Amino acid sequence: MRTKRRTIGWWRYLLLTLAALAFAFPFYFMVVGAFQVSPTNSPASLVPTAGWTTQNFSAINSRLDLVGSLLNSLIFTTGVLLGTVVFGLLAGYALARLDFRGKSATWVLMLLIQMVPFQLLMIPLYVQVTRTYGLGDSYLGMILPFAINTTAVFIFTQFFRALPQEVFEAARIDGASELRILRSVAVPLVRPALVTVLLVTFIGPWNEFLWPFLITKDVTMQPLAVSLANYISNVAQSTANANGAILAGAATLAFPVVILFCIFQRYFTASEIGSAVKG
Amino acid sequence: MTTTTRLRTPRRPWWGAQPIGTLFALPYLVFVVVVFVYPLFFAVYIAFHDYIFTAPGVSVPTPFVGFDNFVDVLTDSAVLEAFRNTGVFLVIFVPLTVVLSLVLATALNAGIRFVSAYRVAFYVPYLTASVSLVGVWMLLFSQNGLINTVLGPLAPDPSWLVNSGLAMPTIALYVTWKQLGFYILLYLAALQNIPKELYESAATDGATMRQRFLNVTVPGVRTTTTLVLILAIILGANLFTEPYLLTNGGGPDGASTTPVLLIYQKGIQQQNPDTASAIGMLLVVAVGLLSLAASRLNRET
């Protein structure tokens, strides 16, 4: 019995390690290639000892203003985070803890819109934002469809619901306003959930390509995902050794998220995300 | 206004015990109406009318045309090919995702060491921008790329992304790789809810590891499998970035075009929002029917 258990364990590690290597390899290729004069295409030179350079970053920077694009990504993401934290917390708290007219209607609406696919809304939203509101090539237009992350509102509601009722009653008897209860009682109690939600919300706009791609024609307004995609699909074909520059751009876009995730990954647990998605 | 009703008071005013809640929920409600409810009805309106883009403030007649846009779309061979391509994608992507994510989640669930290192490796592709990973895959799978160098004489000709038979399968492989971490996460949550006693009694009855997997694990995560199927179908219907970049706009010769890519090309590039909206509606109906079928099928077996 004992030896049998051990062989099973051995296979388990082999399977997981092989899978992990398959998952990690493109990242390794990206990081090494970003700092190589000419990224390799042969397995024999996958562990280069020479040819290190930072020239790829200046090469891509000369074609698509890396810092400006990063700044646009950051403004876009910050706008979504602010909207989600401020209005999402308010809505989540109201749905979980307050008794008001229209509560059940709001809840039903929230569940229903999670089933509405973006591909159907793409054209009308494009017409609305660029033609009706005149928000093409603006941060506001980029942020608008993502301004309050519904998944985040949902997670906030679930976490506020799980708190004991007595805490809220005590605060109300002490005469605290609902805004004050939210700020000083409810939010501090759900801080770990807040980290998860912030991380999930950050990733959305940071990685988003389709929407900002549709509404930004002005290159100085484009987030990095859009300007890098334009480089890959248009400029790279006419550039001599573009591979290193592509990998440098890819690494610049990827690494803020990878680093954030590695720092906060202990908050990113299966049960929390699972409960959020499954309801 | 904000005075709360006492617990013992049975009366509850019409506007609720804490009417300030309406104020709290209002920004979100306005957001939902502006970004989801109104565009949803607007999409249906556009699809049934002869709609064209105008400058802000200019109004032109948009006559009702019934199902004309849908007829245009359904007789367009490019649209039919896009839906067929999505079918090819789903046939590869869905089974691969369900099997791999369940197997890896099971392996990860058994209290092994270095769990967090494996978790980081599995989730990172899911969290990273598709644009950046597509850049890497494009180089790996290019004509003279690493994959072809390793394969040597076995390398496909024409190469992966410019081969009309392999373009869509390569995209399916890429998306499976990118999204798997998310599905592993879902299955891990489900596995933690299967009672340990079930495995113990199966083991005392002499069930092998394979039998335990098939008879305890697989039925135990059935509701999650339904969720995974539906999410995978929705994802497959939403493909845009991958064919746009990886196969340079759905190439070669439309072999990896997807409906959303066509919505972009027809609606925004060629300025025909009405036919684009019709494609969107057909796509949503198709996704709805497929999801329904998937959940029915999974319930019965």
Side-chain angles (χ1 to χ4, degrees), chain A residues 4-5 8 12-13 15-17 19-20 22-27 29-30 39-43 46 87 90-91 93-95 97-102 105-106 109-110 113 116-128 130-134 143-150 153 169 172-173 178-179 182 203 206-207 209-210 213-214 217 224-226 228-230 232-234 237 243-244 246-247 249-251 253-254 257-258 261-262 265-266 268-271 273-275 277-278, chain B residues 4 7 12 14-22 24-25 27-29 31-40 42-43 46 51 53-57 103-104 106-108 110-114 116 118-140 142 144-146 149-150 176-177 180-182 184-186 188-190 192-193 208-209 212 224 227 231 234 237-238 240-241 244-245 248 260 263-264 267-268 271 273 276-277 280-281 283-284 287:
Chain A
K4 198 174 181 199
R5 277 263 161 85
I8 290 165
R12 219 183 266 279
Y13 281 107
L15 177 73
L16 286 171
T17 306
F23 279 94
F25 175 72
F27 285 88
F29 183 80
M30 173 164 77
T40 181
N41 280 325
S42 106
L46 268 179
F87 299 121
L90 281 173
Y93 179 70
L95 284 170
R97 282 291 163 194
L98 300 178
D99 173 39
F100 62 94
R101 197 79 204 158
T106 311
L109 206 59
M110 182 167 119
I113 60 160
V116 180
F118 186 73
Q119 67 268 35
L120 184 62
L121 302 180
M122 182 171 133
I123 294 289
L125 271 177
Y126 176 80
V127 175
Q128 256 178 295
T130 61
R131 315 278 152 153
T132 316
Y133 309 149
I143 294 166
L144 185 68
F146 305 94
I148 308 173
N149 186 326
T150 290
V153 178
E169 272 163 16
R172 276 174 202 152
I173 287 165
E178 292 301 334
L179 203 60
L182 170 62
I203 292 161
W206 185 269
N207 292 349
F209 168 64
L210 178 54
F213 166 73
L214 290 184
K217 293 287 158 272
L224 185 53
V226 178
L228 179 63
N230 284 343
I232 291 173
S233 65
N234 302 324
Q237 277 135 10
N243 291 5
I246 288 178
L247 291 177
L253 180 61
V257 171
V258 174
F261 174 65
C262 290
Q265 65 105 3
R266 67 198 175 91
F268 201 76
T269 60
S271 50
I273 306 297
S275 66
V277 176
K278 281 190 301 184
Chain B
T4 53
L7 265 181
R12 176 182 169 273
W14 179 85
W15 53 85
Q18 288 102 12
I20 198 172
T22 312
F24 282 13
Y28 177 65
L29 213 54
F31 166 77
V32 167
V33 170
V34 170
V35 172
F36 291 92
V37 179
Y38 176 72
L40 189 62
F42 194 23
I46 295 176
Y51 194 93
F53 286 139
T54 57
V103 167
L104 286 174
T106 309
L108 207 55
I112 52 152
R113 302 169 79 183
F114 319 116
S116 57
Y118 288 121
R119 277 181 24 168
V120 170
F122 293 160
Y123 300 159
V124 154
Y126 166 66
L127 299 169
T128 305
S130 205
V131 171
S132 116
L133 295 178
V134 157
V136 178
W137 272 63
M138 214 174 73
L139 301 184
L140 289 175
S142 65
N144 302 312
L146 186 67
T149 317
V150 172
T176 309
W177 172 80
L180 206 64
F182 173 68
I184 292 176
L185 202 66
L186 287 183
L188 264 179
Q192 282 159 12
N193 291 329
T208 62
M209 195 174 84
R212 269 176 287 162
T224 302
L227 182 74
L231 291 176
I234 293 174
N238 260 316
F240 174 81
T241 313
Y244 180 77
L245 290 175
N248 202 14
V260 178
I263 292 178
Y264 163 70
I268 290 160
Q271 309 260 308
S277 262
M281 283 187 68
L283 187 60
V284 169
V287 168

